[in-house]
Amino acid sequence: MFKKFSPSTDIAGQSALKSSVQRSIRAQLLETLSIDAETLEQIWPKKENLIQVKCREHITIFTLHGVPLFFQHFDDKIMPSLRLVHKYPSMLPHVKIDRGAIRYLFAGAHMMCPGFTSAGGALPPADAALPAGTVVAVHCEGKEHAAAVGILKLSTEDIKKVNKGVGVEIATHLGDDFWNVQKI
Amino acid sequence: MADDEQPTQPIAGPSTVLYCQGTRATLVGGFTVLTDPFCFLRHARCTTLFSAVCSLPPEYCEFGSHLSKCKAWLEDAYPGLYQEYYSEEALASKVGTLSLDKQAKLEADVAKAEAKAEARAANEEKKKAASKVIIKRIERQKRKYVTSIAGLETFGVDLKKASKALAQRFATSAAVSKTPAGGEEIVVAGDVADDLLELIEDASEGKGNKTSAMFKDVPPDACEIVEEKKKKGGAGAGGE
């Protein structure tokens, strides 16, 4: 999503959000991310106004004091930026890829199923299976921090079963152009 | 493979993350520490380090394109971490499930990427040294001129801001416009070529005001004033 992104050319405009819209975003965040209201309050205090930055191809970035916190494609789920995931690692469910897949991840590829099912990878157990469409943090074998944020294309059980094709669509990964934007 | 590190603990405060130091731009002249953009989280322990040779968390440096520089930085700044990531046994264990020849291939790829990145940086440096700022005085109508300044962007000038500042400084109108060659230039109404050169000279010496501060990285030697006469019989409006 952010393979090519430069603030000077790709941003169409910034505007402050209506407080009613902000309320609904807040509710949506609490619903989709596993964080409580208190933690969200730390990240995004009630009194602060989120700024909506509209970009090309229906991408919207939400910033606070110029720092990108969340982003959204069209009307999809709101996803946290990778730097935010690093700060609060447990806000997203984790999936793990093996070492061989890391270099493809850094080249911007979507993550294929075998990367999760091989010896180095990991998926949540069957009783904590995640449905398709869940926003996940992609971790890597032997690494501590998340390397990417993506959306499950298949449910985790299906990934184990099918073991072929794209398992996680990567939205943003370490070192992509969105990662390099520290302030807008 | 399943029962692995699913976070069950409640979320505590923000965790601290270390990022590789130094920016791409400041690779050569030592490392800089950028401030944590999340510093506005006032409660947060602002110990996160950013910057970077490659800006990644150091554990991922091996997949970046500046591995040797990252390594040097880490060894210097965080010897403990360096031991953790690059000591003999760490190297042996981190190969993990990857087969040996794959690992070798990965290392070769990283080395290649690094060489490429270096070549690119050197190229950019060269380009910068060779590039010129062209200040062009263009005759618009008899005794009326506009001044175009091209090539500023290579010296890290924000064109949009600069054009605003110039408009104010010379009490005239200025705009950023695209050149036919694909670049961008600032067009200032009126003949300000000489004043502009003066401004850039002042800026490089560090004097002057807010306006000139913007141009402090532009070397006056690289500036060149050119004159462009209106073409006779051109398709200009009005005619003479």
Side-chain angles (χ1 to χ4, degrees), chain A residues 99-137:
Chain A
R99 223 182 120 73
I102 300 179
R103 46 189 282 247
Y104 299 106
L105 176 65
F106 280 17
H110 293 323
M111 287 296 99
M112 306 291 156
C113 293
F116 298 101
T117 52
S118 70
L123 288 169
D127 54 358
L130 304 165
T134 315
V135 180
V136 290

Side-chain angles (χ1 to χ4, degrees), chain B residues 137-214:
Chain B
R137 197 171 80 128
I138 305 165
E139 190 172 15
R140 193 169 54 81
Q141 257 177 12
K142 260 283 178 268
R143 298 183 50 222
K144 292 195 175 172
Y145 296 93
V146 290
T147 313
S148 90
I149 309 114
L152 278 175
E153 64 274 9
T154 29
F155 298 103
V157 178
D158 185 338
L159 290 185
K160 224 170 159 186
K161 277 188 190 145
S163 76
K164 269 260 164 69
L166 287 178
Q168 199 164 39
R169 172 78 169 66
F170 298 123
T172 173
S173 158
V176 179
S177 74
K178 292 207 165 69
T179 56
E184 282 188 327
E185 61 178 10
I186 299 177
V187 179
V188 187
D191 177 11
V192 293
D194 294 329
D195 298 341
L196 196 70
L197 193 61
E198 213 168 282
L199 178 84
I200 291 173
E201 271 164 9
D202 281 357
S204 68
E205 283 160 26
K207 56 187 180 187
N209 51 8
K210 221 167 49 205
T211 317
S212 55
M214 214 170 281

Side-chain angles (χ1 to χ4, degrees), chain A:
Chain A
M1 203 185 279
F2 289 107
K3 196 148 192 206
K4 274 227 170 79
F5 180 82
S6 76
S8 58
T9 56
D10 289 334
I11 289 179
Q14 308 193 5
S15 58
L17 283 169
K18 279 198 287 190
S19 63
S20 58
V21 181
Q22 296 206 25
R23 228 174 8 247
S24 72
I25 292 176
R26 199 179 283 270
Q28 201 186 335
L29 286 174
L30 285 174
E31 199 180 309
T32 51
L33 306 176
S34 59
I35 52 176
D36 48 28
E38 216 171 284
T39 320
L40 187 58
E41 177 73 25
Q42 284 184 7
I43 301 170
W44 170 23
K46 270 215 178 75
K47 285 199 178 134
E48 312 274 11
N49 274 331
L50 217 55
I51 303 286
Q52 179 190 39
V53 180
K54 283 194 179 160
C55 310
R56 41 120 216 154
E57 285 166 25
H58 306 291
I59 290 173
T60 309
I61 302 173
F62 298 103
T63 66
L64 190 60
H65 302 289
V67 179
L69 289 184
F70 307 101
F71 61 95
Q72 187 181 27
H73 177 247
F74 204 51
D75 267 340
D76 296 353
K77 284 180 179 150
I78 299 181
M79 289 183 263
S81 74
L82 200 50
R83 282 180 206 272
L84 193 61
V85 175
H86 283 168
K87 286 269 176 193
Y88 299 89
S90 48
M91 70 170 20
L92 289 178
H94 295 187
V95 292
K96 202 166 175 196
I97 52 166
D98 61 21
R99 223 182 120 73
I102 300 179
R103 46 189 282 247
Y104 299 106
L105 176 65
F106 280 17
H110 293 323
M111 287 296 99
M112 306 291 156
C113 293
F116 298 101
T117 52
S118 70
L123 288 169
D127 54 358
L130 304 165
T134 315
V135 180
V136 290
V138 179
H139 285 240
C140 299
E141 178 190 1
K143 308 287 182 199
E144 186 190 344
H145 302 298
V149 175
I151 299 176
L152 282 179
K153 268 272 125 181
L154 300 166
S155 74
T156 51
E157 286 309 292
D158 278 347
I159 291 181
K160 287 178 204 169
K161 236 182 286 158
V162 181
N163 205 10
K164 234 189 190 137
V166 176
V168 172
E169 242 180 37
I170 300 299
T172 174
H173 61 87
L174 276 182
D176 70 1
D177 281 355
F178 184 52
W179 167 263
N180 288 329
V181 175
Q182 300 197 349
K183 265 196 158 189
I184 291 180

